[in-house]
Amino acid sequence: MSNTTNNKRRKFIKSSTLIATGSVMAPLFGNTTDQLNTEVDPFKDDGRIIGHGDFKYRIDKQWGTQNLNKYPVMDCHEMVQDKAGRLLLLTNHPKNNMIIYDRSGKVLDTWTLGLKGAHGLTISNEGGEEFLYIATTSDHKVFKTDLEGKIIMELDYPKETGKYESAEKYHPTETAIGPNGDIYIADGYGLDYIIQYNSKGEYIRFWGGKGDGRDNFDCCHGITLDERDKANPCLLITSRSKQEFKRFSLDGNHLETITLPGCWICRPVIKGDYLFFAVLVTKTWGAYDGCIAVLDKDHKVISFPGADTPVYQNGILTAPQYDDLSFLNPHDVCIDDDGNIYVPQWMSGRTYPYKLERI
């Protein structure tokens, strides 16, 4: 792609999207332009090979594409796979919060809770039955549902912490479920606290908050349970605006901070021994410059699908350079049992998820 095309592309994006540099309101409520960048074909270079080392993929940008009138979406925020192999996509379109695909890209079912701020999606196997936890930013709640969308539990704003004057201060972005069923909620677009409940929804504790300390966060956008060390499970929590993620014990004690320069990472996703991130932004809001990161058990990046080869200098990661072709604000990853990755995207002109076929 020529420099002239690149300049036109970025100029158009800057003027036509609602992403505002330095603004928290755009990522908070997921406002999406209905107008896709007409100067850039979102399916350009479909079928290319991206990634590095043992983690290379053929990108299929049309895998999930549907008729917008029949299956409307705004932002495609997150995606999980159930034990039947179905792929469940969470969107913030109030008429269509959930789209359920098979692995071929065929839509099997849809349902909605009428949510405009549906953002975080976690699946949990509880006694052989699977449940979903949906964090919604503009509704200031977390919902537990079955796979058909029946609401089992609602968790309101955490007034027990003494930190919230009202529900309007609370904008949860993600959840994680502990080995004993405890529920951890990341208030990523609110006050940056992690709130812990038991499986019945009874308040236990909170920690974090916005700040620069090792126990603090700056946009704790994503959280997940890490059980790769079976004897010592922990929580991985992103501090997206700081371009880092942190390890915490299950009772909220800081264990480690891992910095990924140039990576505004959304949520951690673990598959086997490896950790995957959607990197929403590598340089600046207002341009499509995200990628995917694959990390080994030592938290070292070994592949950057959509960017250049990972490089470490004196043990420090060099900020990735986006390939300017692959993604439009990747927001999440879902990895199937064959190692294929499905990528929902935010603020992408209402595109549907891409598929990265493992090769």
Side-chain angles (χ1 to χ4, degrees):
M1 183 178 291
S2 69
N3 288 335
T4 299
T5 302
N6 277 335
N7 291 338
K8 288 182 178 179
R9 180 181 195 264
R10 297 192 183 282
K11 182 178 180 181
F12 181 89
I13 293 167
K14 184 176 181 180
S15 64
S16 66
T17 69
L18 297 178
I19 306 174
T21 302
S23 169
V24 297
M25 296 306 290
L28 176 57
F29 296 110
N31 296 325
T32 306
T33 176
D34 291 347
Q35 181 181 15
L36 190 63
N37 185 348
T38 56
E39 294 191 27
V40 178
D41 182 355
F43 305 120
K44 181 179 175 63
D45 294 304
D46 193 21
R48 289 181 307 112
I49 305 301
I50 59 177
H52 309 93
D54 293 332
F55 291 86
K56 294 180 180 177
Y57 305 87
R58 179 176 291 105
I59 189 167
D60 181 354
K61 297 186 177 183
Q62 301 186 61
W63 173 84
T65 300
Q66 303 295 322
N67 184 326
L68 274 171
N69 292 322
K70 186 174 182 180
Y71 300 113
V73 298
M74 292 297 284
D75 301 298
C76 295
H77 271 134
E78 295 193 343
M79 201 170 202
V80 297
Q81 186 174 33
D82 67 14
K83 61 184 179 181
R86 303 183 309 164
L87 296 153
L88 287 74
L89 169 69
L90 184 71
T91 89
N92 56 359
H93 198 297
K95 294 182 179 179
N96 210 30
N97 287 148
M98 193 69 65
I99 300 177
I100 303 174
Y101 290 92
D102 68 13
R103 285 178 54 181
S104 74
K106 177 184 177 182
V107 173
L108 302 174
D109 197 7
T110 66
W111 50 263
T112 189
L113 299 179
L115 302 174
K116 296 180 180 179
H119 184 279
L121 180 65
T122 300
I123 192 165
S124 176
N125 190 321
E126 302 174 12
E129 186 176 0
E130 291 182 303
F131 296 94
L132 301 174
Y133 291 80
I134 299 173
T136 170
T137 55
S138 61
D139 298 275
H140 317 291
K141 291 183 179 182
V142 168
F143 295 90
K144 178 181 180 179
T145 77
D146 64 15
L147 297 189
E148 286 71 48
K150 178 183 177 183
I151 296 174
I152 309 298
M153 180 191 302
E154 292 185 29
L155 291 172
D156 209 337
Y157 81 99
K159 53 183 176 294
E160 300 93 337
T161 65
K163 298 293 185 179
Y164 293 84
E165 300 170 359
S166 65
E168 284 66 33
K169 298 289 186 180
Y170 184 55
H171 302 282
T173 50
E174 193 61 78
T175 61
I177 308 304
N180 65 350
D182 280 1
I183 304 165
Y184 299 86
I185 301 176
D187 184 21
Y189 287 158
L191 301 185
D192 274 307
Y193 290 109
I194 307 299
I195 302 96
Q196 181 180 355
Y197 301 87
N198 66 19
S199 61
K200 297 178 181 179
E202 298 167 337
Y203 172 78
I204 297 176
R205 64 171 64 88
F206 77 101
W207 70 88
K210 189 177 293 293
D212 297 323
R214 69 175 195 167
D215 297 323
N216 300 125
F217 305 98
D218 191 347
C219 188
C220 57
H221 187 277
I223 182 171
T224 198
L225 175 70
D226 185 355
E227 295 185 286
R228 288 176 293 178
D229 180 351
K230 298 296 184 183
N232 298 289
C234 66
L235 296 167
L236 302 182
I237 307 171
T238 62
S239 186
R240 191 170 70 179
S241 297
K242 292 290 188 183
Q243 302 166 44
E244 62 191 18
F245 67 100
K246 301 185 178 189
R247 295 176 58 242
F248 279 81
S249 68
L250 299 182
D251 56 358
N253 292 314
H254 177 270
L255 302 174
E256 184 181 10
T257 296
I258 300 96
T259 300
L260 297 181
C263 297
W264 278 258
I265 48 182
C266 286
R267 78 156 163 176
V269 176
I270 295 170
K271 188 69 173 181
D273 289 334
Y274 297 94
L275 176 62
F276 297 77
F277 287 109
V279 178
L280 185 70
V281 177
T282 64
K283 288 185 178 180
T284 181
W285 299 103
Y288 295 136
D289 65 348
C291 63
I292 306 300
V294 184
L295 287 70
D296 63 17
K297 288 186 72 174
D298 296 320
H299 302 136
K300 182 177 180 181
V301 179
I302 55 177
S303 182
F304 265 141
D308 59 351
T309 304
V311 174
Y312 283 81
Q313 296 183 344
N314 299 320
I316 299 174
L317 178 69
T318 300
Q321 298 296 311
Y322 176 59
D323 66 13
D324 213 28
L325 291 170
S326 295
F327 299 109
L328 305 169
N329 297 328
H331 192 273
D332 190 31
V333 291
C334 176
I335 302 96
D336 68 22
D337 290 337
D338 292 328
N340 305 311
I341 303 177
Y342 304 86
V343 185
Q345 301 185 108
W346 169 80
M347 203 73 156
S348 61
R350 302 175 71 181
T351 59
Y352 294 86
Y354 293 171
K355 178 181 179 180
L356 304 185
E357 180 185 2
R358 182 87 177 267
I359 61 171

